Amino acid sequence: MIYKIRIILDVEDDIFRDIEIAADNSLEELHNTITQAFGFLGNEMASFYTCDDDWNQEEEIALFDMGENGGKVRLMNETFLEDVMTEQTPKLIYVYDFLSMWTFFVELADAVEKEDGRSYPNLLFSFGELPESPPEKNFEADPSFDFDDTFENYDDLDFDENWN
């Protein structure tokens, strides 16, 4: 089975790529295809995230396990497209370069039979140019949370200050 996928950069302008890729390819192969389609070198950290229909981020699928205890993180090279992207769960979030936070919405558009003589993955359509720098992210804090109040209530934190 071949997946037709649209990858949309999270910016105001329309910037996207449509690709075809085999459903039994790993997410690492999808990562490589996305970096090539958008003109990245591919030498930065990246992760996919499963998400719900409203694009709310769920489980991380990382390029590498950077944890100290190893084996706890789901990895791209061990995860296959058909296992995380289906008609029931057609969306993923992709983040490339955690310092720049290039963020993409990845959505399954169609699943078709493999065509003889065609090589996959395949870039079907390219629209828009990647900006010089990534869009700024607005990480707003909860306006109802009072950071100053947190330290005024130090005695309420159940913390033994003489622990050593």
Side-chain angles (χ1 to χ4, degrees), residues 3-14:
Y3 281 176
K4 292 186 177 187
I5 298 174
R6 174 160 284 176
I7 302 107
I8 305 167
L9 179 60
D10 184 18
V11 291
E12 254 182 60
D13 298 331
D14 289 336

Side-chain angles (χ1 to χ4, degrees), residues 99-157:
L99 295 177
S100 299
M101 294 297 289
W102 291 97
T103 305
F104 299 85
F105 300 108
V106 180
E107 188 164 14
L108 177 63
D110 199 8
V112 297
E113 293 298 320
K114 184 177 183 177
E115 289 183 31
D116 290 336
R118 182 176 285 217
S119 62
Y120 301 97
N122 179 34
L123 178 63
L124 291 172
F125 186 72
S126 177
F127 185 86
E129 294 297 319
L130 197 66
E132 291 288 319
S133 60
E136 289 191 28
K137 300 293 181 208
N138 186 6
F139 298 108
E140 290 184 21
D142 180 358
S144 65
F145 187 80
D146 184 4
F147 286 97
D148 294 329
D149 183 48
T150 304
F151 295 110
E152 289 174 8
N153 294 326
Y154 179 75
D155 295 332
D156 297 338
L157 293 177

